[in-house]
Amino acid sequence: MSNDIKVIYLDFCHTAVNKFTLGSFIRYVQLREINLLSIFNDKIRRTEVSERIENLDHKVYDNLDKYGHSYSSLLIKKHINQNVISEIRNLTSNGYKLVVVSAALKYYIKPFFDMLDVNVYHYITSQIEKKGNKLSLDFMYAERKLEEIIKFENQLNIIESVAYSDHITDLPMLKHSNRVVVVEGPNKELLKVAENNNWRIINGH
């Protein structure tokens, strides 16, 4: 079949890069909106992100691509997980299609992979949505990732899949894939599962 493909399902934060990016990006946007040129604290807990987005001026929506490009260039490139990116390059050179499946945002993920000259076949990411004068977050997390992967796969014939992640919440995606690579990161719970399932583990730094 012409639609037979091999895919890589790649998480982003603490997998492609060794940093949690969503909260950091929202903080970056907030500070740029009030014309501060440096980030004093980019730590925002995951539970705070939706509230922070809802409190942004809705006019920010039109500038998110611009902010995504500058954020990627200034703050993400120094956090590249070279071990993972090297494996992704090898797989894509051998015919695998890269699908980024992340709670992070395409606004800065796409410029990141463009900068590395790595082709992304498809993005399954969180989305900032504009409804009237309000912004909200459609959060791509845990079971939601698998739901969107299944929708994606329904359009194609996936003959092989390999998934990369650092976090236990990605267990549905990992179990769905033919092969699993667990990336060492702050979340230790997934490492125990990986050892029990004889999944491959690679260094996350």
Side-chain angles (χ1 to χ4, degrees):
M1 293 176 60
S2 59
N3 280 342
D4 288 1
I5 65 170
K6 300 180 292 185
V7 298
I8 310 157
Y9 293 126
L10 178 68
D11 181 41
F12 190 72
C13 299
H14 287 293
T15 301
V17 296
N18 46 41
K19 174 183 177 64
F20 173 62
T21 62
L22 182 53
S24 172
F25 177 67
I26 299 308
R27 181 66 171 158
Y28 178 86
V29 171
Q30 287 177 315
L31 292 175
R32 289 310 184 270
E33 281 296 297
I34 56 175
N35 296 318
L36 290 177
L37 298 179
S38 61
I39 294 185
F40 303 112
N41 177 14
D42 67 0
K43 303 293 185 183
I44 295 179
R45 290 176 299 183
R46 184 177 285 111
T47 52
E48 293 180 88
V49 169
S50 291
E51 182 181 354
R52 294 285 187 120
I53 290 172
E54 289 170 5
N55 288 332
L56 288 173
D57 190 307
H58 68 280
K59 296 175 184 176
V60 170
Y61 185 83
D62 294 332
N63 293 322
L64 288 174
D65 279 323
K66 177 188 73 176
Y67 286 133
H69 277 77
S70 60
Y71 174 77
S72 178
S73 175
L74 293 171
L75 294 172
I76 298 185
K77 65 180 181 182
K78 59 186 177 183
H79 294 282
I80 296 171
N81 186 333
Q82 297 290 356
N83 291 334
V84 172
I85 296 302
S86 176
E87 293 201 8
I88 298 305
R89 288 187 188 280
N90 183 57
L91 286 167
T92 55
S93 69
N94 283 283
Y96 283 79
K97 304 293 187 183
L98 176 58
V99 179
V100 178
V101 187
S102 178
L105 298 164
K106 186 178 175 181
Y107 300 110
Y108 52 84
I109 295 176
K110 185 179 186 304
F112 172 82
F113 284 106
D114 287 347
M115 174 186 69
L116 297 180
D117 197 28
V118 173
N119 183 58
V120 178
Y121 183 78
H122 186 64
Y123 293 92
I124 298 173
T125 65
S126 293
Q127 302 286 331
I128 294 179
E129 300 176 333
K130 183 179 180 181
K131 297 178 181 177
N133 289 336
K134 293 289 185 180
L135 298 181
S136 63
L137 180 68
D138 179 9
F139 199 30
M140 193 58 56
Y141 192 64
E143 291 285 353
R144 278 293 316 284
K145 288 187 176 183
L146 181 56
E147 291 172 6
E148 294 301 316
I149 284 173
I150 291 171
K151 289 180 185 177
F152 165 75
E153 291 185 348
N154 284 340
Q155 305 171 50
L156 301 162
N157 185 39
I158 308 301
I159 58 174
E160 187 177 349
S161 60
V162 53
Y164 285 75
S165 179
D166 74 296
H167 205 277
I168 192 67
T169 57
D170 280 335
L171 206 51
M173 176 180 77
L174 299 177
K175 287 184 174 181
H176 178 75
S177 301
N178 300 127
R179 288 193 289 136
V180 173
V181 180
V182 170
V183 181
E184 285 187 285
N187 183 255
K188 305 305 179 185
E189 194 175 353
L190 183 59
L191 295 178
K192 297 176 183 177
V193 176
E195 291 169 358
N196 290 338
N197 285 277
N198 294 316
W199 289 341
R200 187 164 155 254
I201 300 171
I202 65 173
N203 193 297
H205 302 286

